[in-house]
Every structure is written in C-alpha cells, then in structure tokens.
Amino acid sequence: MGNSDSALISEKQLEIYQLETFFTRKEILRIYESFADLNPDKVREAFLAGNYQIKMDYGEVTQLSELKFSPFKDRICRVFSEDLSGDMTFSDFLDMLSVMSMQAPKDLKAAYAFKIYDFNDDGEIDRTDLDELVNRVTGFRMKTEDVDGIVDEILKECDMDENGTLTPAEFEDILQKAPEFSANFNIEV
Amino acid sequence: MDSEEGIVHSNEAAIELDTDDETQPILSKEDDLGDKGLSNDHAHLSTDRYGTFYPGPKTFTLSQRRVLRRTQRMQFKELQSGLRRKDQVSTKFTKFIDDSMKKMNEIQRNHFRIWGSSIKHIQGHLGSGVCTYFKVIVWLLKINLLCMILALAFIVGPGSYMANNHAQHPAQESLYNKDDLECTNPNFVNGTGFHHDAVDSVLQFLTGTGWMESTAMFYGWYPTSNLTMHVHGKEKTTYNFSLAYFTVGISYFFLSLLFMLYNLSKLFNKSAAEQFDTKPYSSKVFTWDYGVTDTGACEQQSVRFIQSLKEGMTEDAQEGVKREFSAKVGIVFLRIVTNIICLGAMVGTVYLYVNQILTDSSELQSTDSCGKLTQPLDDGLDIDLGNLTNTEIKENLSAFWSTYSASIIVSGSNVILPIFFQLVGTFEMYSFQSTMIGITLVRMFIMKLFNISVYLYILYIAVGPSGGQLEEWQTPDNTLIYNCWENYVASQLYQLVMVDFIVFCIALLCSEVLRSYLVTNISFLRDRLGITKPEFNIAEEILDLVHKQMIFWSGFYFAPLFPVVAVLEVIAIFYLKKISALKNVIPPKTVVLNHQSTFAVNCLFLISLLIVFVFMGLVIFNFHPSKTCGPFRESAWFSDPFSHVIKNSGKFKSYIVDSLKTTSVFIILVIVVCLVIYYYRSLASSRKVTIGLLRQQVKDEIADKKFLLDRVKVQDSNNNEDETKIEDLKKSTNLRKKELQRKISRAHGFAS
C-alpha cells in the first residue's frame, strides 16, 4: 500500500466506483491491491497506460484465495464477467466483491445467487440445475437416489406453481426464509 | 411489495443519473446509447411481474449488458440508502436520522474495525458460526472500552492528580488516618501493612486485599475533596469529584443499556420477520458458506452438509415416534427426577459458597471502634516457605481455602456442571437431538444466572450491617462490621474475576489443548474409541461470555480500575481462544445462525445487566457510605452530592427534579408508553392479516392460472381437431374438384 498505487486510479474513477458499489474509498484501494497481486506487472503496466479494461484470465482470477477452493468458482467468475467467459476486468472484480460484501442488500444477493445456481443459463432453475447444485454442495459424495430425493423435497418446498422449475421470484421468496443466507453469501477481501 | 415500489422509485432516479453522467472513462464510445436510448432499452428487458431485472445473458450485446449492470447496481444502492415506502412519512427529521446512522456505520466500518483480519482468518477455517462468537467478543470489548475511557477520564485521572498534589508523602498516608486504613479489612493485621514479602504481595494481588486496597484500584483510595482549577486567573471552577464518581457509576449502566437496546432493536425487526414455516432442505442447500476458504475446511463443510441432510431425512422419518401410555408415564417420571437432580446440584453449589462467605466473616472476632481485632487472627496469608511443619501447612491451607473458596466454587461449578447436565441429558431419552441440546443450554444459562445472582445477594447481606450504620461502629450483638465495606465488595468481585480467569485458562488447557494433543499423538484413541478433536460449542461459549460480563458489570462501581481489568481480560480471552480454535478444534456440526438466535443472545446480556442493575440499585440507595474511606465519607448517602447540586442550582431546577420524583409523572409515562405499544401492536397484527390474505391470493392465482392453462390446452386440442378436419375437408374438396375437372374435360373431348 503506498501513494504510488492510489495514484493509478484517478479520483474521478474512485468516486464513480464509490457511487456504483457498496465500498468506501479505502476498501476500493484495498481491493485494487488484491487484484494487482494476481499478476502485478501486467496490472500495473496497464493501469499506468490508462487501460482500465485489462482482463485477468480465469486461471489468474481463481488464484484468489477466497475462490481457489470454492466449488462454485467457475460459476462465480462466469456470472460476474462481462463476456461470460470467466475473464474479469477490475470493474467486474469490484462488482463481484460488492455484491458479495456485507453491505449488499438481500435482494441483490438473491438475484445473483439465482444466476450462479442456474447452471444451464436458461433463466430458470430446473431439475438438472438442482441436481448439479446438490452434487457440488456435497462434494459429489452422495448416491444418486439420495440426491434425487433431496431434489424432490426442495421442489416440493419451493415450487409454488408446480411447474418443476424455480423462477427468480420463488427463489427470492425461499431465501427470505433462510436467514443464514446473507451471512453466508459473503466474500471479504 | 417493498422492492417493487422501491425499484419503481429508483428507476426514474437511475435514468436521470445516467443522463447526467457525461464523462465516463469506463465506458467507451460504443456504449453511448444517447439520452433516450436507455429508457427505450428498458422496455425490452425481461422484467417479470415482480419488477426484478433479469437481463438474459444471451440476448444483449456486451456494451448493453455493461450499462445494464451499472444501472442495476445504482438502483440497488438507491434502495439501500433508505428510500421509504409510499405510506411512510419521510420528513426532514427522519432523513436526518437516516443520514447520521449511515455516517456512523461508515465511520465504524472504516476506523473501528477491530481484529478484522483475525476474524476473517478464523472464518476461513471454521465457518461463519464460530466467527459470530468472536464478533460477540469484539462487541464486549467495545462496551468495556467505553466504560474504561469514562472511568479513566473522570475518576482515575482527577483522583490521582488530586492525591499527588495534596500529599508530600505517598497518597495513602496523608489523605486519611493510617489507622483508618487498617480498618478496612479484618485480615489486615500488620500495621506497617505495605511491606509484606513477595509471595504475600502476589497473593494479595490476586485477592485484592492488603496493599491492593491502597491503590487506585479500589474505591477506598479516592479523596473526597473537590478539585479547583483556575481559568485564566479569574474564575475558579470546581470539579466536584464525588458528584463525578456517582454520575459515572450510574452512567456505566445506562450506556451499556443503551448500547444493547440499540442492537436489540435492529435485530428484533429482522428476527420477527422470520417466518415460522421453515424450509429445512432448501435453506441448507442454498446457503453454502462462501467465506470458507481453506481447502480442508471446504471439504469438511461438504461432509457436514451431508450429515445434516441425512439427519434431516431420518428426523422426518421419525416424526411420529409413538409411545405407549405406560412408557410415556415412565418417561415423564424420569424427567421430573432428572430435573430435581439438576436443581439440587445448583442449589448445592450455592449453599457451599454461601456458607463460606457467611462463616468466613463470623469466624472473626468483634472489633473495637476502629476495627482493630481484639484477638489476633492466624495470619493465613503469610506463607513462609522456609520451615513448614504439618500443622502450619494445614493452617495455611485452611486459611488459603477460606479466602478463595467462594470464588473457586463459583468458577469451578461453571466448568463442571455443564458436563453434568450433558450427561443427565443423555439419560432423558429425548426423541430429537435438538431438544436435548436446547434443554441443556437452558439449564446452563439458569445455573450461571442463579450462581451470580445469589453471589451478589449474599454480598449484599454480608455487607448489610456495615452499610446500615450511620454513626455506630459496632452493633450491640457484635456482628462483624467492615469499616470500608465498599472495598470488601470490590475485593470479593475482583477475586472472583481473577479466579474465574485462572479457571478458564485451566479449562481451556485441559479440554482443548490436552485433548487435541492426545488425539493427534495416540492413535488408539482416534481409531478404536473414535474420540476426535473437541467441537467448538458456540452456545456454551457465548453463555460463558455472558457470565463473565455480568461479573464485570457488577464490579464497575466500586472499583474504578475494573474496566481496565475487564478490557485486558477480554483481549486475553480473544487471543487465547483464537490460537486454540485454529489449532485444536473442529467446527461444530450444526449451526443455527439466524436472527432469532442472535436476538436471544442479546436478550441474555440484557437480562444479566438488569440483574446487576437491581443489585447496584439496592446497594447504592440502601446503604450509607463508609466513614473511613472513599469520596463519600462525608455524605450520608451516595446520592447526596447530586441532591446538593440540585438544591443549590435554583428553585426552578429543584422544583423540576422534585416533581419528577412524584408518582404522577411516572404514571403518565407508563400510560404514554402503553399507548405507543398498543398502536404499534395493532398495526403489526393488521399487517399479519394482510399477509395471510395475500398468500391466499397467490395460491388462488396459481389455481386460476392452472385452470386457464388447462382450458387453453383443451381448446387447443379442440382447435387441432377442427383444423385437421378442415384439412381433411379441404383435401376431399380438392380431390372432388379434380375429379369434376377430369369429367368435364372428358365430356369436352367427347363433344369434340
């Protein structure tokens, strides 16, 4: 942390970031530090040249300690990157951490959680998505009959219009009743 | 719904923001959609009827999506900044409060983030459940720090300044009679008092008697005079020290109370909103803990998920465990017996130390007018390690025991009884694991509360005769009177804190360090017996913290340096627990981490504070301050300085204060509070009814939708049938047309 680093992001830029995310100035600078640590030379060069759209590859982003071992790291990177490839710019990175910070409201988190858990990106969470979700959460250790049983239970509990899929609204409703959600859906840098 | 209207509001705001923002180094030229471009685009967005934006990932260009995300973020920020619902009045006052709350939160986040990196480290290894325990420690630290700053600034600072200025000799010798000082503790026999040997001094440091009494630690040392200061040579302002002491003493409690009520009010909102129909499976599956970052911890999380899901499934299967009538009666009887046993254990420990405190005092002989003992005590505190005979050892041990017994029993029972309760719980044959855990926790809490309350009450009784005396030193029937009873109370509590901390360290060593060392090194235990590293039991640890904080609170008034001790102990607990937790402990299997449980924890703190409140109120307002020590030695009551100030500050103020004390004001206040409560309660119940109706409406709508879909299907299939019929008819008419044409052409051919 030094004055040289904070000069790489202009004041106007910092203000815009503060407007758009839930972070304060100090926190944005700290996040910049961890972003830069992923590949220091590349990032510093680019920012000095004024190129703020520099992208970090998926491989580099997942070096972040909070993402390294998470079973959802591919989905997180994909959802938050602009071109859905998993490569993130600094703005995407900030966006991701802002949504997954303590200050983000529950609805925003629920909306993004929906996107993360929608593995086939079709706008709804159906049986295949839920299968994949339960498998990832249990580390692929459960037998298929058990997984099917759990998916049945979940659909019974959540699916209000009983069409076999979860819409964003139903998903949000469920998460209202799961109080640990906002505490657990957090990544702090 | 809230979010719908909120988004409607911020929709407009977002559009305005966008058009105002001209210089955007983030966006490149191709993103410039123009002034109206964005609002047009909104029409194409897939908004479902709840108004949540869900830009389909494949339907928009990169730039459009970027802009969309920005607007989405800003909308949510607007939401968060507290846009009020349409039916709530948004005045300047409420806006001002909202803004100041936001600023306070920001300041707290930026500057007062204590131990943030440690907590994050722990969260990475052990999950957010264990993390809440450490956050409670941080919260306690903040309360104690606040009290410490108050005490140091207003009491200890001026007190020591005054003491040093008034004396040429060390403070304690000139402020009051040395004879008087000896009167404070009956064990204090040696006239030259402050020169015991090293072992003695250490022991006295632990008990808070002897040389400790003449330090700033305890009440007795503080002077009674007022501090006069010259301001620019003209006016003399006086710092009324006794008034300051009294006010600060009362304000400890009010500040802590305000702090806790503020937290409670924030939580109550959220905890009451939690619905009672919980969804066990979805709430487990969708709430993966993203904060866990260690690879081993992630795997453990998956394993725990599997276990809890399986337990959920077996519990469902077990729901109707039906027992026969005779078995039921047997179980009820068994549970009554076990409850009596637990009560008996609690009362037994209480009896032990009550006995100790009361007999401890009565072993001593009566005192003369200054409290000098007419019969020499065995100076049990002098342990001469040189020559010890058997009887001497016995005497020393018994004296040791008599001084420390009460605190040892209280702290020891805190450690031993929970284990006992758990054993009892396993015998009671509850059908669910969770009920057993819940009941054990309730018993533990009652035990701790009971212990401390009785301890405080016994102190109150022990000090009663001394505190009741205004003039006489000695009651006719020779009951013991402490001539500086405040010091006695303070030293007992100080002793309790010290012993409690030592017992805590020993328990930590045995239960965590020793066990994990044995488990890792002796494979027999691990493989054959299946003993693992200890599990971090969050609820028990938090109850322990409640217990400790209760002791701290009760000592604040009589020992101005107590908050410093409290702060040091809290810091020590944090680091010890952190080191032990990171190495020796596995995370707990089931974590119930909702707002209701946090609310319950806050309520526990509140209950303990209220009990301490009652004790302090009784002591301060019922007893006369002692004559030989402390800032109140010239007053008849502790509240005297306060009433003096009121009387001297003019008729109007004293009139107000007098009328405030009358009952009519109290009754009016009570009535106003009741009305406010009634208003909010009726509002809440009407909203509940509305929620029920809306739910029913949703269900009906779904049924309607299904019905209509079915009808559409039927119509469709009818339509299809009709269409096929039309097709068939068309085909047949075409065929017939062709036949007819052939016939006509043949007829023509024949004709020509």
Side-chain angles (χ1 to χ4, degrees):
Chain A
M1 184 94 88
N3 281 332
S4 59
D5 286 339
S6 48
L8 285 175
I9 309 183
S10 63
E11 276 303 315
K12 181 88 187 179
Q13 193 85 305
L14 275 176
E15 270 183 41
I16 294 171
Y17 284 144
Q18 271 186 293
L19 249 188
E20 295 177 348
T21 66
F22 298 107
F23 291 129
T24 60
R25 202 170 169 279
K26 259 196 196 173
E27 288 167 341
I28 295 176
L29 288 173
R30 202 168 54 201
I31 290 171
Y32 169 73
E33 286 294 311
S34 25
F35 185 71
D37 281 339
L38 298 175
N39 191 339
D41 306 318
K42 185 166 150 195
V43 171
R44 293 229 164 84
E45 255 181 57
F47 269 69
L48 273 171
N51 172 20
Y52 299 109
Q53 306 302 341
I54 177 86
K55 282 196 184 174
M56 306 296 285
D57 302 329
Y58 175 67
E60 286 168 336
V61 174
T62 49
Q63 288 306 310
L64 196 66
S65 62
E66 286 81 5
L67 288 180
K68 222 170 177 180
F69 300 111
S70 169
F72 294 106
K73 63 181 175 199
D74 56 337
R75 290 299 305 166
I76 296 176
C77 291
R78 195 180 146 87
V79 162
F80 285 103
S81 69
E82 279 182 54
D83 50 5
L84 307 172
S85 64
D87 303 332
M88 300 174 84
T89 63
F90 181 56
S91 151
D92 298 331
F93 193 71
L94 256 186
D95 200 20
M96 170 180 85
L97 289 174
S98 160
V99 168
M100 298 189 91
S101 70
M102 297 276 284
Q103 299 100 33
K106 216 170 176 177
D107 336 12
L108 185 61
K109 290 193 185 192
Y112 274 96
F114 187 83
K115 291 189 212 173
I116 291 180
Y117 293 145
D118 183 11
F119 291 96
N120 46 16
D121 286 329
D122 57 358
E124 295 181 317
I125 295 185
D126 55 7
R127 277 200 81 102
T128 47
D129 293 329
L130 283 174
D131 256 347
E132 177 72 24
L133 175 65
V134 174
N135 270 325
R136 282 202 196 194
V137 152
T138 57
F140 291 96
R141 289 193 182 99
M142 273 184 122
K143 302 180 232 174
T144 20
E145 314 96 60
D146 290 334
V147 172
D148 282 337
I150 292 178
V151 169
D152 282 332
E153 286 289 328
I154 294 178
L155 281 173
K156 229 195 293 176
E157 287 170 359
C158 305
D159 197 5
M160 276 205 290
D161 52 5
E162 287 160 22
N163 55 357
T165 62
L166 294 179
T167 60
E170 288 164 354
F171 189 72
E172 252 189 68
D173 191 40
I174 289 300
L175 289 183
Q176 292 286 351
K177 297 165 189 163
E180 306 104 50
F181 174 68
S182 15
N184 281 355
F185 198 76
N186 264 338
I187 293 181
E188 302 251 1
V189 178
Chain B
M1 268 183 35
D2 213 357
S3 51
E4 190 178 297
E5 295 171 357
I7 288 185
V8 164
H9 266 282
S10 45
N11 227 338
E12 302 153 7
I15 295 175
E16 283 167 9
L17 262 178
D18 255 332
T19 53
D20 280 341
D21 261 342
E22 288 172 282
T23 54
Q24 296 288 331
I26 298 177
L27 297 179
S28 53
K29 273 195 185 155
E30 64 195 14
D31 295 338
D32 181 23
L33 298 172
D35 282 345
K36 298 284 167 80
L38 200 58
S39 46
N40 279 341
D41 259 357
H42 274 189
H44 295 301
L45 284 179
S46 56
T47 56
D48 56 23
R49 58 191 158 146
Y50 295 90
T52 44
F53 281 117
Y54 188 70
K58 290 174 183 160
T59 50
F60 297 107
T61 65
L62 194 60
S63 47
Q64 279 175 325
R65 245 183 286 124
R66 203 187 283 158
V67 170
L68 267 172
R69 264 199 353 227
R70 268 187 56 228
T71 49
Q72 206 178 12
R73 271 184 257 159
M74 286 200 246
Q75 282 168 354
F76 276 106
K77 275 214 86 182
E78 286 288 320
L79 257 186
Q80 194 217 13
S81 71
L83 279 176
R84 302 206 153 237
R85 296 196 307 272
K86 277 178 182 162
D87 59 347
Q88 268 188 334
V89 177
S90 164
T91 58
K92 271 189 185 172
F93 181 65
T94 48
K95 231 187 165 200
F96 170 69
I97 290 202
D98 273 344
D99 284 339
S100 43
M101 284 284 138
K102 240 191 351 164
K103 273 196 188 147
M104 255 174 46
N105 276 335
E106 256 188 59
I107 293 178
Q108 226 196 18
R109 258 196 297 141
N110 284 343
H111 300 292
F112 291 122
R113 201 170 161 196
I114 306 183
W115 288 323
S117 52
S118 310
I119 291 187
K120 188 181 156 250
H121 192 209
I122 294 171
Q123 190 183 22
H125 283 272
L126 295 167
S128 2
V130 173
C131 180
T132 46
Y133 168 74
F134 288 95
K135 284 186 184 163
V136 171
I137 297 189
V138 171
W139 183 73
L140 282 184
L141 179 72
K142 285 183 187 165
I143 291 186
N144 287 326
L145 261 180
L146 192 65
C147 294
M148 179 176 95
I149 292 174
L150 268 183
L152 287 179
F154 292 110
I155 300 184
V156 179
S160 32
Y161 178 74
M162 277 195 276
N164 286 333
N165 274 358
H166 282 231
Q168 282 115 20
H169 304 288
Q172 54 269 19
E173 288 189 75
S174 59
L175 279 179
Y176 37 81
N177 214 338
K178 206 158 130 205
D179 284 344
D180 290 344
L181 181 60
E182 287 172 10
C183 304
T184 57
N185 189 316
N187 285 331
F188 195 96
V189 181
N190 203 335
T192 50
F194 315 114
H195 308 293
H196 283 178
D197 51 357
V199 180
D200 251 350
S201 313
V202 169
L203 283 175
Q204 285 174 351
F205 175 71
L206 285 178
T207 40
T209 50
W211 67 270
M212 283 288 292
E213 290 199 29
S214 49
T215 56
M217 178 75 201
F218 292 118
Y219 170 94
W221 180 77
Y222 288 88
T224 185
S225 49
N226 297 332
L227 184 63
T228 53
M229 297 180 294
H230 300 269
V231 179
H232 293 303
K234 280 197 180 169
E235 278 181 39
K236 278 188 189 178
T237 54
T238 43
Y239 180 77
N240 191 341
F241 187 71
S242 36
L243 179 65
Y245 194 94
F246 178 70
T247 322
V248 171
I250 300 289
S251 61
Y252 289 138
F253 298 105
F254 279 110
L255 274 177
S256 317
L257 190 67
L258 277 176
F259 210 75
M260 279 196 303
L261 285 178
Y262 172 67
N263 273 343
L264 264 183
S265 61
K266 274 197 297 188
L267 278 176
F268 185 71
N269 199 7
K270 296 181 194 166
S271 81
E274 271 168 18
Q275 305 297 324
F276 290 103
D277 46 349
T278 48
K279 317 263 179 190
Y281 288 100
S282 354
S283 52
K284 281 187 192 139
V285 168
F286 290 129
T287 55
W288 169 264
D289 193 348
Y290 285 82
V292 171
T293 58
D294 190 22
T295 166
C298 276
E299 282 205 21
Q300 280 177 5
Q301 218 191 71
S302 323
V303 171
R304 272 183 283 135
F305 253 80
I306 299 178
Q307 273 177 353
S308 66
L309 286 172
K310 283 207 175 132
E311 269 178 24
M313 290 198 285
T314 48
E315 264 190 28
D316 274 345
Q318 256 186 20
E319 250 180 48
V321 171
K322 296 206 169 129
R323 295 200 174 109
E324 303 170 350
F325 185 65
S326 54
K328 266 192 191 169
V329 168
I331 286 187
V332 166
F333 186 64
L334 175 69
R335 286 182 191 169
I336 292 179
V337 168
T338 48
N339 276 322
I340 292 181
I341 292 180
C342 292
L343 269 180
M346 286 194 255
V347 171
T349 46
V350 163
Y351 175 73
L352 279 177
Y353 68 76
V354 160
N355 228 4
Q356 272 303 328
I357 291 187
L358 291 179
T359 56
D360 184 30
S361 4
S362 68
E363 263 170 18
L364 303 164
Q365 295 297 307
S366 60
T367 62
D368 64 8
S369 66
C370 178
K372 282 223 180 64
L373 295 166
T374 54
Q375 191 186 39
L377 242 197
D378 50 23
D379 13 347
L381 294 177
D382 281 326
I383 298 182
D384 180 11
L385 292 174
N387 311 320
L388 286 173
T389 61
N390 266 342
T391 46
E392 274 183 5
I393 296 178
K394 264 195 202 160
E395 277 176 15
N396 286 331
L397 279 178
S398 67
F400 179 81
W401 178 247
S402 69
T403 349
Y404 285 101
S405 54
S407 342
I408 293 183
I409 292 177
V410 171
S411 320
S413 66
N414 261 340
V415 173
I416 297 178
L417 280 184
I419 306 177
F420 178 66
F421 287 148
Q422 273 172 357
L423 276 179
V424 167
T426 50
F427 282 129
E428 284 182 330
M429 295 198 293
Y430 287 107
S431 39
F432 291 120
Q433 181 84 349
S434 43
T435 6
M436 188 188 96
I437 295 179
I439 293 211
T440 319
L441 283 175
V442 167
R443 282 192 184 136
M444 274 175 50
F445 177 64
I446 294 181
M447 170 201 77
K448 291 192 194 222
L449 210 60
F450 194 52
N451 259 348
I452 299 287
S453 326
V454 173
Y455 192 84
L456 291 176
Y457 185 64
I458 288 299
L459 279 182
Y460 172 74
I461 289 189
V463 160
S466 334
Q469 294 305 307
L470 193 48
E471 300 295 344
E472 301 275 327
W473 287 125
Q474 192 172 350
T475 55
D477 54 355
N478 287 342
T479 53
L480 182 76
I481 296 182
Y482 296 104
N483 291 310
C484 191
W485 59 267
E486 295 96 344
N487 265 12
Y488 174 71
V489 171
S491 64
Q492 289 291 87
L493 288 167
Y494 177 82
Q495 202 173 323
L496 186 59
V497 164
M498 286 286 160
V499 173
D500 195 59
F501 185 62
I502 294 178
V503 169
F504 167 78
C505 291
I506 296 178
L508 191 68
L509 269 178
C510 292
S511 68
E512 292 187 6
V513 176
L514 201 63
R515 183 169 157 182
S516 97
Y517 178 76
L518 287 175
V519 163
T520 41
N521 290 348
I522 303 181
S523 56
F524 172 71
L525 290 172
R526 205 177 6 183
D527 303 329
R528 296 280 190 82
L529 295 180
I531 301 180
T532 57
K533 284 190 185 179
E535 217 179 78
F536 192 93
N537 193 335
I538 302 175
E540 278 187 28
E541 303 286 345
I542 292 187
L543 280 182
D544 195 37
L545 284 180
V546 172
H547 165 82
K548 290 202 162 67
Q549 184 62 29
M550 199 169 158
I551 306 179
F552 291 152
W553 270 324
S554 34
F556 280 171
Y557 186 79
F558 293 114
L561 279 185
F562 220 67
V564 178
V565 173
V567 166
L568 290 175
E569 183 168 333
V570 169
I571 295 179
I573 290 177
F574 183 84
Y575 282 112
L576 285 174
K577 273 283 174 190
K578 173 187 161 198
I579 296 174
S580 161
L582 286 176
K583 288 200 189 146
N584 300 327
V585 149
I586 54 178
K589 291 195 183 104
T590 48
V591 179
V592 179
L593 185 64
N594 45 9
H595 288 296
Q596 277 177 342
S597 57
T598 337
F599 180 71
V601 163
N602 269 309
C603 277
L604 294 181
F605 276 107
L606 193 65
I607 293 175
S608 52
L609 178 64
L610 288 176
I611 291 185
V612 174
F613 231 38
V614 166
F615 166 69
M616 294 306 300
L618 279 178
V619 166
I620 294 180
F621 291 106
N622 272 351
F623 289 162
H624 301 284
S626 47
K627 295 247 166 255
T628 49
C629 50
F632 293 99
R633 21 190 140 147
E634 284 147 24
S635 336
W637 294 101
F638 283 105
S639 49
D640 265 357
F642 191 68
S643 22
H644 271 303
V645 168
I646 298 290
K647 272 188 208 152
N648 291 344
S649 62
K651 268 192 173 173
F652 187 59
K653 284 187 192 171
S654 48
Y655 174 70
I656 292 183
V657 173
D658 279 340
S659 49
L660 275 180
K661 287 189 195 164
T662 57
T663 44
S664 46
V665 171
F666 184 65
I667 293 179
I668 293 176
L669 273 177
V670 167
I671 291 179
V672 167
V673 168
C674 283
L675 282 176
V676 168
I677 293 178
Y678 178 70
Y679 167 69
Y680 279 114
R681 188 139 196 283
S682 47
L683 208 61
S685 52
S686 67
R687 289 208 176 124
K688 250 193 196 169
V689 169
T690 322
I691 290 177
L693 286 175
L694 283 174
R695 284 220 174 139
Q696 191 57 37
Q697 201 176 356
V698 167
K699 285 192 186 153
D700 291 341
E701 293 265 330
I702 291 175
D704 278 350
K705 180 175 158 190
K706 257 197 174 161
F707 174 69
L708 286 171
L709 274 176
D710 287 342
R711 284 201 61 186
V712 164
K713 275 187 201 159
V714 166
Q715 291 289 15
D716 252 353
S717 56
N718 283 347
N719 220 7
N720 286 342
E721 281 176 18
D722 290 344
E723 281 191 357
T724 46
K725 277 188 196 162
I726 291 173
E727 288 289 321
D728 290 342
L729 278 174
K730 270 196 194 165
K731 278 185 197 162
S732 54
T733 44
N734 277 344
L735 281 170
R736 293 200 72 188
K737 243 201 236 170
K738 282 185 189 161
E739 271 187 36
L740 283 169
Q741 275 176 354
R742 251 185 268 138
K743 279 190 186 164
I744 293 171
S745 54
R746 239 188 277 151
H748 273 288
F750 280 146
S752 59

